Amino acid sequence: KMGPRFETKRLFSTRSDRVKCVDVHETEPWFLASLYSGHVYIYNYETQNVVKSFEVLENTPVRAAKFVCRKQWIVCGCDDYSLRVYSYNTLEKIKQVEAHQDYIRAIAVHPTQPYVLSSSDDSTIKLWDWEKGWQNIRVFEGHTNYVMQIVINPKDPNTFASAALDKTIKIWNFGSETANFTLEGHEKGVNCIDYFKGSDKPYLVSGSDDYTAKVWDYSSKRCVQTLEGHSHNLSAVLFHPDLPIIITGSEDNSIKIWHSTTYQLENSLNYGMERCWAMVARHGTNLVILGFDDGSVVTKIGREEPPVSMDNNGKVIWARQSEIQTASLKGIPDMVDGEPVLAKPRDLESTQIYPQKLSHSPNGRFVALCGDGEYIIYTAMGWRNTSFGNALDFVWSADSKEFAISEAGGRICVVETKEKARKE
């Protein structure tokens, strides 16, 4: 039987003063935590050691901090209204800029341009160019209250989104000082936002003081789903870059994991570290870093081992998230039991479901995928979809002529593979 789709395992936790921001390094196994106390810590989550730490300003919250990996910097936003830039190798302070007229809430680093965005309680967003000596090259105005978070669109890095306590989300273009449009629907201030990283949906998620998260289609400018379940303000939201989940963190001390297609609540977690304030995922892994009142947690979500099946001729099919790949082990010389095998994988397709189970029929002619409450059967040779339906679990009969599925409510159905006739 299939286990929980998005089970979690705590890999590392560390106690500290209140964490206001976390970020993860692109290549090193590091994450940073900026603290309410004025300190920044860099941790190695593999060795579970502190790599570096420094004080930005004594007893002055550092609400925002980001790696700039290509420059080996950390950029910090502090409650003295200044941006500071440090080398994370030497901890030398490279630059300090008087950036805003109130607290700095968020920082975003452009993926390719020499740009940093900052947002503030002064209701503005500012664009800084480090190749021009950290000159402020644009001010984005339009919000009427604290701008709590800014996120650059990973699919269109010429645009970014902002969340503010004026109850709105605004979408901006780097070339214009006024917003392209505004998304309205939250009943109270909006604290956090994140973009969906996949290619198929123009979505973002927001979290609010109205205790809800909302999923927005920024192409049609409408709310497509409201996620209800928290009992206090939402302070952090995340579309996971590799798993089909949305993660929300709240001042109710809980972390909730939602399916990003069905929007069902998959898991609810409490790490006993009080309120959650920040979260980030490491792309290419199933790691999530969480920041709380009492410290930081690195957790692993879902299985690392992909669902896999092999037929009698050595043809292997497996799933990496929703990407299906295949390879043949036939003819590979000198295979040793238990040792890794070098095979050449080939992409088959990207599925609409997140497979938890993958199974060849005993005769090798079909392959079944099961996950997200659905099953799909393909021909093994041409990878042609032959049937699909709702199922929580799936098993083939010994002669491949039938398969059984379990459905919601405990009902078991037997289906004939060819005719698809159903027996209760």
Side-chain angles (χ1 to χ4, degrees):
K1 179 165 173 61
M2 295 185 293
R5 277 180 288 192
F6 304 112
E7 58 196 16
T8 64
K9 180 181 180 182
R10 187 192 314 209
L11 299 182
F12 171 50
S13 61
T14 179
R15 295 275 173 175
S16 71
D17 292 317
R18 183 187 305 168
V19 177
K20 293 306 296 180
C21 184
V22 290
D23 194 27
V24 67
H25 198 279
E26 291 173 2
T27 54
E28 300 289 345
W30 297 349
F31 74 92
L32 69 77
S34 69
L35 308 186
Y36 198 80
S37 64
H39 292 80
V40 174
Y41 284 83
I42 304 174
Y43 300 95
N44 184 315
Y45 53 77
E46 290 182 350
T47 64
Q48 304 193 4
N49 293 323
V50 176
V51 178
K52 297 277 173 61
S53 68
F54 58 94
E55 186 177 62
V56 178
L57 199 61
E58 185 178 3
N59 295 322
T60 306
V62 183
R63 299 179 191 272
K66 294 286 184 181
F67 284 113
V68 186
C69 298
R70 59 192 184 274
K71 303 295 287 186
Q72 299 181 338
W73 291 341
I74 293 173
V75 183
C76 304
C78 201
D79 272 11
D80 68 345
Y81 316 160
S82 293
L83 284 174
R84 290 173 174 82
V85 186
Y86 295 86
S87 162
Y88 60 63
N89 293 319
T90 66
L91 302 186
E92 173 194 1
K93 185 167 72 175
I94 294 165
K95 187 73 176 179
Q96 181 172 341
V97 181
E98 289 187 21
H100 287 275
Q101 296 177 347
D102 209 331
Y103 299 161
I104 297 171
R105 291 282 177 173
I107 291 169
V109 180
H110 196 281
T112 55
Q113 298 295 327
Y115 295 161
V116 169
L117 285 168
S118 61
S119 72
S120 168
D121 287 2
D122 66 13
S123 303
T124 70
I125 303 162
K126 293 188 177 183
L127 178 62
W128 309 88
D129 187 333
W130 69 67
E131 287 190 354
K132 294 181 178 178
W134 288 91
Q135 181 181 336
N136 176 209
I137 59 174
R138 190 155 289 114
V139 180
F140 304 92
E141 295 182 301
H143 281 298
T144 57
N145 208 325
Y146 303 171
V147 186
M148 302 297 288
Q149 192 169 10
I150 40 178
V151 181
I152 295 171
N153 187 342
K155 295 194 284 286
D156 178 11
N158 292 316
T159 62
F160 65 92
S162 58
L165 295 191
D166 59 14
K167 308 179 188 177
T168 71
I169 299 138
K170 291 183 183 290
I171 309 297
W172 310 78
N173 188 293
F174 275 94
S176 173
E177 295 177 352
T178 56
N180 295 351
F181 56 89
T182 302
L183 301 173
E184 296 180 271
H186 280 295
E187 296 176 5
K188 292 187 178 180
V190 188
N191 294 312
C192 44
I193 43 172
D194 194 31
Y195 276 100
F196 177 68
K197 284 85 172 173
S199 59
D200 54 331
K201 289 181 286 195
Y203 283 6
L204 59 82
V205 62
S206 59
S208 167
D209 287 343
D210 64 13
Y211 303 179
T212 72
K214 289 183 180 290
V215 179
W216 305 84
D217 182 325
Y218 56 82
S219 179
S220 64
K221 305 180 181 60
R222 65 185 181 91
C223 175
V224 296
Q225 187 73 29
T226 299
L227 306 178
E228 298 178 335
H230 283 289
S231 58
H232 211 303
N233 304 339
L234 271 73
S235 43
V237 291
L238 177 70
F239 263 117
H240 196 283
D242 299 294
L243 301 171
I245 55 175
I246 296 167
I247 310 173
T248 55
S250 169
E251 292 183 50
D252 66 9
N253 303 351
S254 77
I255 305 296
K256 294 190 185 295
I257 300 173
W258 315 77
H259 195 282
S260 60
T261 301
T262 66
Y263 305 113
Q264 287 185 325
L265 180 63
E266 298 283 345
N267 207 340
S268 188
L269 310 167
N270 188 323
Y271 287 103
M273 299 182 82
E274 300 299 324
R275 297 170 296 181
C276 174
W277 294 108
M279 61 179 66
V280 67
R282 173 79 184 265
H283 181 55
T285 73
N286 51 2
L287 298 182
V288 174
I289 296 97
L290 306 162
F292 297 90
D293 274 332
D294 292 344
S296 306
V297 171
V298 180
T299 190
K300 183 174 70 173
I301 299 178
R303 293 167 40 173
E304 283 196 329
E305 304 79 22
V308 62
S309 181
M310 183 173 73
D311 68 10
N312 294 328
N313 296 314
K315 182 180 180 181
V316 183
I317 296 176
W318 67 93
R320 284 284 185 193
Q321 281 81 51
S322 56
E323 302 293 326
I324 310 300
Q325 295 181 307
T326 183
S328 176
L329 305 186
K330 194 173 183 179
I332 295 179
D334 304 323
M335 285 195 290
V336 179
D337 190 27
E339 291 296 313
V341 173
L342 288 175
K344 294 181 179 179
R346 178 171 61 88
D347 292 332
L348 285 176
E349 74 160 10
S350 178
T351 70
Q352 294 297 310
I353 65 173
Y354 178 70
Q356 289 173 267
K357 189 173 189 178
L358 204 151
S359 174
H360 277 91
S361 61
N363 65 11
R365 292 177 55 196
F366 301 98
V367 180
L369 277 60
C370 192
D372 294 346
E374 298 180 29
Y375 75 89
I376 308 173
I377 298 177
Y378 295 91
T379 58
M381 286 293 291
W383 201 251
R384 184 172 49 85
N385 184 332
T386 64
S387 61
F388 59 90
N390 295 323
L392 300 177
D393 205 350
F394 182 104
V395 66
W396 290 103
S397 67
D399 60 8
S400 306
K401 293 181 179 179
E402 297 177 324
F403 56 88
I405 54 174
S406 65
E407 295 183 337
R411 190 170 65 163
I412 305 294
C413 295
V414 177
V415 184
E416 293 184 17
T417 304
K418 291 180 180 178
E419 291 78 16
K420 306 182 204 172
R422 174 174 289 236
K423 298 188 297 186
E424 295 285 343

